[in-house]
Amino acid sequence: MKLIDKTEVQRMLDAFVDQDVYIHLEMTMGAYAAHHGRAKFTGSTFIRNARVRFSHARIAGSGPYRVGLKMAEGWIYSEGLTHMEDQETERLIMAGLNEEGKLVVALQISKEPFGTAKGMD
């Protein structure tokens, strides 16, 4: 993965506008994230292979970044994105990594479904 290139991400987002795409959205404060302090709070959100269509997409911020996808009846919004996959051309894979390199948030967009999540079958 490489640091997000805002111009490249916006170009890729624009390529998905008004098409049926699959979304993977994940946020975790659990297994992947580091915890400090007395109280350990574990929380996570996970959605995989939700088929959506958005009419507008925008990346904003100066790093970490936020991405918003406007659908006919709502928004998908992800904040804290720092990295993108540098080998992908057909999918947009972004992640927010903490200072220890652990995953905190992920937003992925593809025209094809993502593979099955291990342990979720």
Side-chain angles (χ1 to χ4, degrees):
M1 295 195 93
K2 67 178 184 179
L3 291 174
I4 283 180
D5 177 326
K6 190 173 176 180
T7 302
E8 185 178 352
V9 168
Q10 187 63 58
R11 179 188 58 76
M12 293 177 80
L13 288 169
D14 290 343
F16 290 117
V17 168
D18 292 325
Q19 298 182 48
D20 287 338
V21 295
Y22 294 89
I23 297 289
H24 171 88
L25 179 61
E26 178 176 353
M27 187 281 303
T28 183
M29 296 178 69
Y32 308 132
H35 300 284
H36 303 285
R38 289 186 192 159
K40 179 179 176 180
F41 179 82
T42 301
S44 65
T45 297
F46 185 88
I47 184 170
R48 188 167 187 86
N49 289 329
R51 195 170 70 192
V52 301
R53 179 180 286 251
F54 51 87
S55 60
H56 179 75
R58 181 160 182 229
I59 182 168
S62 58
Y65 298 94
R66 58 193 175 277
V67 170
L69 310 174
K70 185 179 185 331
M71 300 177 300
E73 301 204 22
W75 285 83
I76 295 172
Y77 179 83
S78 185
E79 187 167 355
L81 299 164
T82 57
H83 289 76
M84 63 186 292
E85 179 59 52
D86 57 351
Q87 302 297 315
E88 285 289 342
T89 57
E90 300 295 317
R91 302 183 300 182
L92 176 54
I93 296 177
M94 297 172 286
L97 307 178
N98 69 13
E99 62 278 351
E100 295 176 3
K102 294 181 180 180
L103 181 69
V104 176
V105 63
L107 174 61
Q108 303 173 8
I109 306 168
S110 175
K111 292 180 183 177
E112 300 295 326
F114 294 96
T116 304
K118 293 183 183 204
M120 299 299 289
D121 323 86

